[in-house]
Amino acid sequence: MTEFGAKTLRDVPVGSSAKVVKLVGEGAVKRRIMDMGITKGTEVFVRKVAPLGDPIELTVRGFELSLRKDEAQHVLVA
């Protein structure tokens, strides 16, 4: 959870889906996340997490991608 109590993509358990509410942060990190197809209103499914917890494997818009935990922290979900 962020300091505002909002749930981030990092907090979504394996095997669960969440809807993207907002992207926080600025610059290259936010642009990179958006370029991967993670935008407001997108449904994201958490497929698995690596044994040491980083990265997280997601299904977004019908394709799989991996996202580091520090990047997932910038994605607020509901």
Side-chain angles (χ1 to χ4, degrees):
M1 300 274 191
T2 65
E3 63 273 6
F4 305 111
K7 188 174 178 184
T8 67
L9 189 54
R10 186 177 181 168
D11 303 316
V12 178
V14 174
S16 298
S17 293
K19 188 172 186 176
V20 177
V21 176
K22 183 179 180 181
L23 297 177
V24 294
E26 67 263 346
V29 174
K30 185 174 180 181
R31 169 84 343 219
R32 178 168 141 59
I33 293 169
M34 290 174 66
D35 288 346
M36 286 189 270
I38 302 173
T39 56
K40 184 178 178 181
T42 304
E43 194 74 25
V44 179
F45 177 74
V46 179
R47 291 181 45 125
K48 18 179 179 170
V49 177
L52 296 176
D54 203 20
I56 302 168
E57 187 175 317
L58 310 168
T59 300
V60 181
R61 300 178 188 256
F63 63 93
E64 284 78 37
L65 67 95
S66 293
L67 198 63
R68 298 194 71 80
K69 277 189 167 182
D70 62 330
E71 295 169 330
Q73 196 170 308
H74 293 281
V75 183
L76 300 182
V77 297

